[in-house]
Amino acid sequence: MYAEGINPMLRYVTVAFTVLFSTAVWAGGVSVSHAWIRLLPGDLPAGAYCTISNGSDHAMELLGASAPDFKSAMLHKSVTQSGMDKMVAVDDIKIAAGKQFSFAPGGYHIMLMPPHAPLKPGDHVRINFRFADGSTTSALFLVKGASAMNDH
């Protein structure tokens, strides 16, 4: 009998798979996790969501995003003004040292439009992030269907 009932080789493969395919990406103290895209039908813009964690000892200022698979990627947030929901562009997002910032449905998001080629649920798309200090990081985002509401 193996320790804890798990074959050691299976345990090794499981750990290696988890590390290799983890959605968290670290660069310069900043990590991106829970990265996914809600793909809407037709020519509607897609929304990208994730959590950016600032593990550094100083504040980070996110200035923008780009996605090679899309013509444009813009930082946006959803707001309600005079009873109407709308999206507004955001110039930058400050992330305090040791804190997280979440892009989530109904709030901040990365608006992606239009894709250069058709995408489908299950595809992965790289999104690059640019910070005021000149650093960059990127992460793979899992494409999900229009009914998706979170990264699980």
Side-chain angles (χ1 to χ4, degrees), residues 74-126:
M74 299 171 283
L75 304 178
H76 270 231
K77 71 176 178 176
S78 298
V79 296
T80 302
Q81 291 179 337
S82 303
M84 299 292 293
D85 292 333
K86 66 180 195 174
M87 290 179 263
V88 295
V90 175
D91 292 329
D92 60 15
I93 295 171
K94 293 172 182 56
I95 309 169
K99 299 294 182 180
Q100 295 181 332
F101 184 87
S102 291
F103 290 93
Y108 285 87
H109 57 278
I110 302 152
M111 182 182 285
L112 303 168
M113 54 189 207
H116 293 300
L119 294 170
K120 64 185 180 316
D123 288 345
H124 286 87
V125 171
R126 179 163 305 283

Side-chain angles (χ1 to χ4, degrees), residues 6-22:
I6 298 176
N7 177 313
M9 186 58 144
L10 178 59
R11 183 180 301 168
Y12 172 78
V13 170
T14 301
V15 169
F17 182 84
T18 302
V19 169
L20 183 62
F21 292 101
S22 171

Side-chain angles (χ1 to χ4, degrees), residues 29 55 96 137 148:
T137 192

Side-chain angles (χ1 to χ4, degrees), residues 62-76:
L62 177 62
L63 296 181
S66 63
D69 292 322
F70 288 85
K71 183 175 179 181
S72 69
M74 299 171 283
L75 304 178
H76 270 231

